[in-house]
Amino acid sequence: MSILLLLLMVSFNLQILPERGQIEFAFIVIVVPILLILSIVQAQRSYHQSVSRRRQILSGEWQERTQFQPAQNQDVLESTPIWLGIRLNLAPIILNFILILLCFGIILLLLWSLYSTWATFLNNYGNAATAIALDAWLRYVVLAIILWVAWTALGVFVNLRMRRWLCPELEATEEGLTAWYPGEKVIIPWGNVRYFALVKQHKSSSDPNDWTYEIGDGEKSIRWQQPYMAKRMYPLYVSELARDQYEQEFANLLSLIAARTGRPLLDMRLK
């Protein structure tokens, strides 16, 4: 995005803009890349903090427990295997795609109507230089809209991938926990689990079934959250089980991990 903005600044004829417009355009080209770079730096900072906290837990330096602790119910040992399957929910994807196309079409129609009106006006009362400037302006506006559509589509794709990594398919057996991620299968036996931690407590929910958890053996880790996180109206992933059944199985999984490993739920959140 930063490179595209710089290319626009180099190729764009600022002379067709008034003086204030030139200043505002230059301000956008300078500020937006800085904001993007700051967001990347913040994401990297959070990542390294998470890695550091995980190392502290593995070394025993960090043993802070969460206020919520899953019940170590021995009866849950008889409930294995526990399977938490999810599937892609096509409805919100199709809806987003349709909305993007509608917005794109409406904006193009409005721009074409505006361009036609101004072109007619300039043909009657304007000059050739102004008409050329108008054509250049229209090309850059259309380019900006195409970039916006591409950016939105990329955001939907990235969100799909992120949700799939946050909401893997899980199976808990007597031997351990298995998670299916995109193109990857992770297995951690119960005897190898070195920590059981709360990664994120979502502010929008006080229900432990909506939070994000992680177990690890020092080399591999499995992180998961319920696909109904924040009770979204159109979640991208939904359970293959009935909602009540899924939430019950989710709670059973937490109890099973506590019972099988004998480990408390540690607080790995970054405060």
Side-chain angles (χ1 to χ4, degrees):
M1 181 60 74
S2 302
I3 293 173
L4 288 173
L5 285 172
L6 290 175
L7 289 175
L8 280 176
M9 184 177 183
V10 172
S11 60
F12 188 70
N13 184 11
L14 293 177
Q15 301 303 319
I16 68 174
L17 296 175
E19 182 178 355
R20 180 177 177 180
Q22 296 178 24
I23 296 175
E24 292 175 349
F25 185 83
F27 178 79
I28 292 174
V29 171
I30 294 173
V31 170
V32 171
I34 292 176
L35 293 177
L36 291 171
I37 292 172
L38 289 177
S39 67
I40 294 173
V41 171
Q42 177 60 32
Q44 289 294 314
R45 180 172 176 269
S46 298
Y47 169 75
H48 288 296
Q49 286 179 337
S50 298
V51 172
S52 176
R53 177 60 52 81
R54 190 175 290 106
R55 289 174 179 169
Q56 289 178 327
I57 290 176
L58 290 170
S59 65
E61 298 177 16
W62 184 270
Q63 293 295 325
E64 182 177 336
R65 302 187 180 190
T66 61
Q67 186 174 2
F68 163 76
Q69 291 293 322
Q72 296 191 24
N73 185 2
Q74 297 300 318
D75 294 337
V76 79
L77 298 176
E78 307 298 328
S79 63
T80 54
I82 295 176
W83 178 72
L84 299 178
I86 65 169
R87 60 178 174 82
L88 184 64
N89 189 12
L90 294 177
I93 299 176
I94 296 174
L95 180 61
N96 286 331
F97 182 73
I98 292 175
L99 289 176
I100 291 173
L101 289 181
L102 284 177
C103 291
F104 183 62
I106 291 173
I107 293 175
L108 284 182
L109 285 176
L110 290 175
L111 285 174
W112 182 254
S113 177
L114 179 63
Y115 174 78
S116 300
T117 302
W118 274 98
T120 302
F121 176 80
L122 291 175
N123 286 333
N124 296 329
Y125 305 102
N127 52 56
T130 307
I132 293 174
L134 180 61
D135 288 337
W137 174 83
L138 182 64
R139 286 197 298 271
Y140 284 111
V141 170
V142 172
L143 177 60
I145 294 174
I146 294 174
L147 289 176
W148 170 73
V149 172
W151 185 263
T152 304
L154 178 63
V156 173
F157 174 76
V158 171
N159 198 11
L160 282 173
R161 297 288 293 182
M162 287 180 62
R163 289 293 165 208
R164 188 65 181 88
W165 280 99
L166 289 175
C167 305
E169 183 177 331
L170 298 172
E171 184 180 21
T173 63
E174 295 182 359
E175 290 75 27
L177 182 64
T178 303
W180 285 269
Y181 294 103
E184 185 178 359
K185 178 181 178 181
V186 180
I187 303 175
I188 300 181
W190 298 124
N192 294 353
V193 174
R194 296 180 58 185
Y195 68 87
F196 175 33
L198 172 64
V199 178
K200 185 175 182 181
Q201 179 178 345
H202 306 286
K203 297 179 181 180
S204 59
S205 175
S206 59
D207 184 358
N209 286 349
D210 288 337
W211 302 343
T212 304
Y213 301 89
E214 182 179 310
I215 66 170
D217 61 3
E219 296 181 359
K220 303 184 297 295
S221 63
I222 296 176
R223 177 182 293 199
W224 72 94
Q225 71 181 31
Q226 186 182 153
Y228 300 112
M229 188 273 293
K231 302 296 187 295
R232 296 177 182 271
M233 184 177 298
Y234 299 108
L236 294 177
Y237 287 96
V238 294
S239 170
E240 293 187 358
L241 304 173
R243 180 162 183 165
D244 292 341
Q245 183 182 0
Y246 184 92
E247 292 182 348
Q248 181 60 51
E249 292 291 273
F250 195 99
N252 289 341
L253 175 62
L254 300 180
S255 298
L256 178 64
I257 294 174
R260 286 289 186 184
T261 65
R263 295 186 177 275
L265 181 63
L266 300 181
D267 193 346
M268 205 172 80
R269 295 174 295 167
L270 301 178
K271 302 176 181 179

